[in-house]
Amino acid sequence: MGSYERRMISWLWEQVGGTLIREFPLLPEAAGENQIFLNAVILPDTNRQVMPNGTRLCLEGQNVMVVQTKIRYLSMRIIAKTAFYAQLVQSLCNPRNVNPVILCAMKDQFLYRMLTANGRCKVIVCPQEICS
């Protein structure tokens, strides 16, 4: 993850609070080379803290924000990736609730309208000073 993505995630976490884990390892350790790392997971209902990158925490029964970042425009790739990761978190971790969030620098008007209409994934456009 690059410095822009880290800044974007920190910006969101400053607003939301809770526990922030960057580069969250989703699959069990036995998965080895097939490991999937989420850009970040935020647990908004927990104490305000930043855990070390790659920290494994039990998400069972938690409200979980699955955060993926895109430095440029909102795209189909980041939408699909975020939706898929949210489904994996739901099926593997048994959380109370999963809220997929896409952080991007610019929104594609058509894709943004489609996503906000179905309400399954939240799109947040970061301020330019955060993304540049």
Side-chain angles (χ1 to χ4, degrees):
M1 180 184 329
S3 64
Y4 291 118
E5 289 94 344
R6 281 192 292 277
R7 287 191 351 221
M8 292 166 75
I9 290 167
S10 293
W11 173 80
L12 175 65
W13 175 73
E14 288 292 331
Q15 297 174 60
V16 173
T19 299
L20 168 63
I21 308 166
R22 291 183 185 91
E23 299 175 18
F24 183 82
L26 182 56
L27 302 177
E29 289 185 51
E33 65 192 51
N34 297 321
Q35 185 56 264
I36 294 173
F37 292 93
L38 308 180
N39 285 162
V41 164
I42 298 176
L43 307 174
D45 299 335
T46 60
N47 292 334
R48 188 176 189 84
Q49 61 182 328
V50 178
M51 302 297 289
N53 290 359
T55 298
R56 290 181 181 277
L57 281 181
C58 177
L59 303 180
E60 186 170 350
Q62 300 279 345
N63 284 323
V64 178
M65 290 179 71
V66 171
V67 182
Q68 290 299 119
T69 58
K70 179 73 173 174
I71 290 295
R72 294 184 170 75
Y73 283 99
L74 178 65
S75 68
M76 287 299 294
R77 181 176 183 206
I78 194 72
I79 293 168
K81 195 174 183 181
T82 306
F84 180 69
Y85 288 171
Q87 284 186 321
L88 281 176
V89 167
Q90 186 67 55
S91 64
L92 295 173
C93 303
N94 196 27
R96 182 179 336 145
N97 192 24
V98 176
N99 297 305
V101 175
I102 299 171
L103 287 175
C104 58
M106 297 169 268
K107 63 183 174 187
D108 174 287
Q109 290 298 332
F110 175 75
L111 293 176
Y112 181 79
R113 278 196 315 268
M114 296 302 289
L115 276 174
T116 55
N118 93 13
R120 290 191 175 168
C121 188
K122 187 171 186 175
V123 177
I124 300 173
V125 178
C126 287
Q128 279 307 118
E129 62 270 16
I130 302 295
C131 303
S132 56

